[in-house]
Amino acid sequence: MMLRNWKKVKWLAVAFLVLLAVSIYRQICIQFFPNDMVRPVIVYFVYLLLLSGWSASIRNRITHGSMRMFLLVTQILMLLGITIRFLHDAMVPHYDFFMQHYAPLMRSSGYLVGMPIFILPLFGLYAAFCLGRSEEYRFNRGWYALLIPAVILVFLLQTNEYHHLIFGAFEEDILSYRPTVGMVVIVLWALALYLARMFVIYRRSREVKDFPRLRFAPLLLIVSMLALCIYYFSISFVVSFEIIEFNVLVYFCEILIWESCIYMGMVPVNTNYEEVFDRSTVAMQLVDSNGISHMKSTNAPALSNEIFVQLKKQSPILTNEGKELHLHAINGGYAIWQNDMSQTLAVIEELRKSVERLEYEGVILRNELRIQSDNATVKEQNRLYNQLTEEIQGQLTLLQNLLNKREWTEDKTTLFKKVCLVATYIKRRCNLRLVEQAEGIISNEELKLCYDEMSACLRQLDIGAGAVWHNANPLAPELAIFSLDLFELLLEYDDFNLYTIHISFESETKFMLYIHSKSDASAQIPTGQLKALNKENYLVKWQPVEKGARVVVQMV
């Protein structure tokens, strides 16, 4: 079927060859040793062995309880069919006796041989309903109404001698099964159920990427079954030689339909564990209660008895090589996997060094601003640097407070990200003021660099951020700097506890800020600070929205 998955289909090929061999043996014995009493037993034993193998396979591979139950019901129906065939074959040496004394019973049991053929697709449809659903899923009970026509057909089949709707009238001394209009109805009923089953499977299954054309293989099998039924109906089931018995061949086609769906990935199964472990990039293994490994990935470490005992007492544990071992109890043993913590430990060490460096740089920045302010020979320079120091004093204090937390906080990664964010604001805020003093204007490109760098830092804190320009003209310098100050103020008001913060520049005289807080933003927003920001040349308004607010700044 699939060349790359020959290991999956080889057992079906073996089963077909076994069926072929036993059928040839059966035909030879019928021709030359018709009274052989051993032949029915051997044939029945082989059929039973093959059916038991598929039954065990379904129980081991199908994980969904309801789907497995319906498939097992189809196997019970197959078992019923081959058992009745065995009894008929065993009665061949005494055919005349049984036909003389038990003709109705022989015919009635003969009808039971064909019953599974039109009941199988019904339970197959029920099994298909469970695809892609949870273990607790139960399909609509209305579908059980399909059992009503199935029971009616079984009743008509068993009472055929009184109405001959399924098979025509027969002679007294032979088992004649000449199909009539009732059998056509049964075949159409079974065909409709088969097509409905494949519709459900196709609709709920995953894509077959390797061999998409083979998705139609189950439909071809259904067509083959239909052609097989038409042929046997045309000859009234009277055959002198058949490679494989009709009912057994129908059962085998039913199995092929399910197996083809399984092999192409349309029906999920819990096999190929070895391949999953071989391809896994996670160092994992399954061990029994004694710590003996039964399945492991290629990069899974050797597990000593001391480490296993320690894992059962305390999980996870950290090895000297920087590996973190985890243990989880499962049915019959334990699952053990390994995380490589060496890079994480290296990042933590780098974080510690970065914090020290940032602290040092913060001290340098304050000293530099103070020294430049004290040593400036030009009054304008003194004014500028004093202004810078005053304007970012709150952020410098915030930066110091964050750095003071590094000794006792547990989440050093988040602390480091906050430090980077505040430092970025200080750098960009100072740069904007210097550009404004040097050039008298702040371009949109310069302002965009500020927000891009701030947004990158915010995304490290899992805060969505961004800036959008709807105008090509630059903002007034003070308004541009004010937009960055207001952006930072709304970031800090709830200790960076935001989902998103976005700024939209509507024109050169107006911009809007949107925030979405993780807490109750309407209760936390610093309305007093926002009102204090109102000046005679621009006005700040805010509007509370669900879990956030919209702040509008307009030049007047």
Side-chain angles (χ1 to χ4, degrees), residues 62-304:
I62 302 297
T63 58
H64 196 285
S66 298
M67 185 177 185
R68 186 171 59 247
M69 178 191 69
F70 288 124
L71 290 179
L72 291 177
V73 170
T74 65
Q75 294 159 20
I76 293 174
L77 291 172
M78 294 179 188
L79 177 61
L80 173 64
I82 64 174
T83 301
I84 296 175
R85 288 296 297 168
F86 161 69
L87 295 176
H88 280 191
D89 282 350
M91 294 175 186
V92 168
H94 310 285
Y95 177 82
D96 294 336
F97 172 79
F98 281 100
M99 285 303 301
Q100 182 180 358
H101 295 86
Y102 305 102
L105 178 61
M106 292 288 289
R107 294 190 184 105
S108 178
S109 61
Y111 299 145
L112 287 176
V113 175
M115 184 190 70
I117 296 176
F118 64 88
I119 301 296
L120 288 177
L122 176 59
F123 287 96
L125 177 62
Y126 289 160
F129 284 146
C130 303
L131 282 176
R133 297 296 186 262
S134 64
E135 185 67 26
E136 295 77 18
Y137 171 76
R138 298 294 182 271
F139 56 82
N140 193 310
R141 293 184 178 180
W143 288 106
Y144 285 112
L146 291 175
L147 290 171
I148 297 175
V151 171
I152 293 175
L153 291 175
V154 172
F155 175 77
L156 292 176
L157 188 64
Q158 289 300 304
T159 58
N160 182 73
E161 291 193 37
Y162 303 101
H163 48 71
H164 302 297
L165 292 176
I166 310 298
F167 294 105
F170 22 67
E171 301 177 13
E172 291 296 330
D173 58 341
I174 63 172
L175 290 178
S176 175
Y177 297 98
R178 179 171 52 84
T180 60
V181 64
M183 182 55 68
V184 176
V185 173
I186 289 178
V187 172
L188 293 178
W189 153 270
L191 179 62
L193 292 177
Y194 273 118
L195 294 178
R197 180 207 304 181
M198 293 313 305
F199 173 78
V200 174
I201 292 176
Y202 285 140
R203 186 175 180 180
R204 297 186 181 180
S205 65
R206 301 186 297 270
E207 286 293 331
V208 181
K209 298 180 180 179
D210 294 335
F211 300 94
R213 295 181 180 176
L214 291 182
R215 284 173 61 87
F216 299 102
L219 289 177
L220 294 178
L221 289 170
I222 293 174
V223 172
S224 300
M225 291 174 64
L226 178 62
L228 186 67
C229 291
I230 294 175
Y231 168 72
Y232 272 87
F233 293 167
S234 66
I235 61 175
S236 299
F237 298 94
V238 178
V239 291
S240 58
F241 179 81
E242 52 184 346
I243 297 179
I244 298 178
E245 289 184 79
F246 170 71
N247 60 319
V248 175
L249 188 56
V250 171
Y251 300 158
F252 187 64
C253 288
E254 169 73 12
I255 294 173
L256 283 179
I257 291 173
W258 281 110
E259 291 299 322
S260 61
C261 293
I262 290 174
Y263 295 158
M264 288 184 292
M266 292 190 288
V267 176
V269 291
N270 60 342
T271 55
N272 299 327
Y273 289 130
E274 295 82 359
E275 184 177 354
V276 171
F277 274 80
D278 288 340
R279 296 188 179 186
S280 174
T281 58
V282 179
M284 58 181 179
Q285 56 185 308
L286 299 179
V287 302
D288 57 21
S289 56
N290 297 321
I292 300 175
S293 179
H294 290 269
M295 201 169 293
K296 60 189 300 185
S297 57
T298 54
N299 55 349
L303 189 66
S304 65

Side-chain angles (χ1 to χ4, degrees), residues 394-395 398 422 425 487-496 498:
Q395 280 67 40
L398 175 60
V422 176
Y425 165 76
F487 192 87
E488 178 68 16
L489 172 65
L490 294 176
L491 276 175
E492 297 175 5
Y493 86 91
D494 200 14
D495 193 25
F496 308 98
L498 299 178

Side-chain angles (χ1 to χ4, degrees), residues 219-405:
L219 289 177
L220 294 178
L221 289 170
I222 293 174
V223 172
S224 300
M225 291 174 64
L226 178 62
L228 186 67
C229 291
I230 294 175
Y231 168 72
Y232 272 87
F233 293 167
S234 66
I235 61 175
S236 299
F237 298 94
V238 178
V239 291
S240 58
F241 179 81
E242 52 184 346
I243 297 179
I244 298 178
E245 289 184 79
F246 170 71
N247 60 319
V248 175
L249 188 56
V250 171
Y251 300 158
F252 187 64
C253 288
E254 169 73 12
I255 294 173
L256 283 179
I257 291 173
W258 281 110
E259 291 299 322
S260 61
C261 293
I262 290 174
Y263 295 158
M264 288 184 292
M266 292 190 288
V267 176
V269 291
N270 60 342
T271 55
N272 299 327
Y273 289 130
E274 295 82 359
E275 184 177 354
V276 171
F277 274 80
D278 288 340
R279 296 188 179 186
S280 174
T281 58
V282 179
M284 58 181 179
Q285 56 185 308
L286 299 179
V287 302
D288 57 21
S289 56
N290 297 321
I292 300 175
S293 179
H294 290 269
M295 201 169 293
K296 60 189 300 185
S297 57
T298 54
N299 55 349
L303 189 66
S304 65
N305 185 60
E306 293 75 12
I307 294 179
F308 179 66
V309 172
Q310 187 178 355
L311 270 174
K312 289 199 294 184
K313 293 180 179 179
Q314 179 184 2
S315 176
I317 62 174
L318 188 65
T319 65
N320 296 332
E321 297 80 13
K323 310 293 185 181
E324 190 177 56
L325 292 177
H326 297 257
L327 179 142
H328 179 73
I330 59 176
N331 187 21
Y334 301 91
I336 299 176
W337 69 95
Q338 171 184 284
N339 289 336
D340 190 350
M341 299 296 293
S342 57
Q343 293 184 354
T344 304
L345 296 174
V347 170
I348 294 175
E349 179 62 22
E350 184 65 24
L351 173 64
R352 184 187 64 78
K353 295 179 181 179
S354 299
V355 169
E356 294 177 355
R357 184 169 63 253
L358 285 172
E359 182 181 15
Y360 177 70
E361 290 177 356
V363 173
I364 290 177
L365 179 60
R366 287 196 296 271
N367 291 336
E368 181 180 352
L369 292 174
R370 186 177 64 255
I371 292 173
Q372 288 178 356
S373 177
D374 294 341
N375 297 334
T377 57
V378 181
K379 183 179 180 180
E380 183 60 23
Q381 289 180 328
N382 285 332
R383 185 196 65 79
L384 175 60
Y385 288 114
N386 286 333
Q387 181 182 353
L388 285 175
T389 303
E390 181 180 354
E391 289 176 348
I392 65 172
Q393 186 60 49
Q395 280 67 40
L396 290 173
T397 302
L398 175 60
L399 181 63
Q400 183 61 53
N401 292 337
L402 290 173
L403 293 172
N404 289 339
K405 296 178 181 180

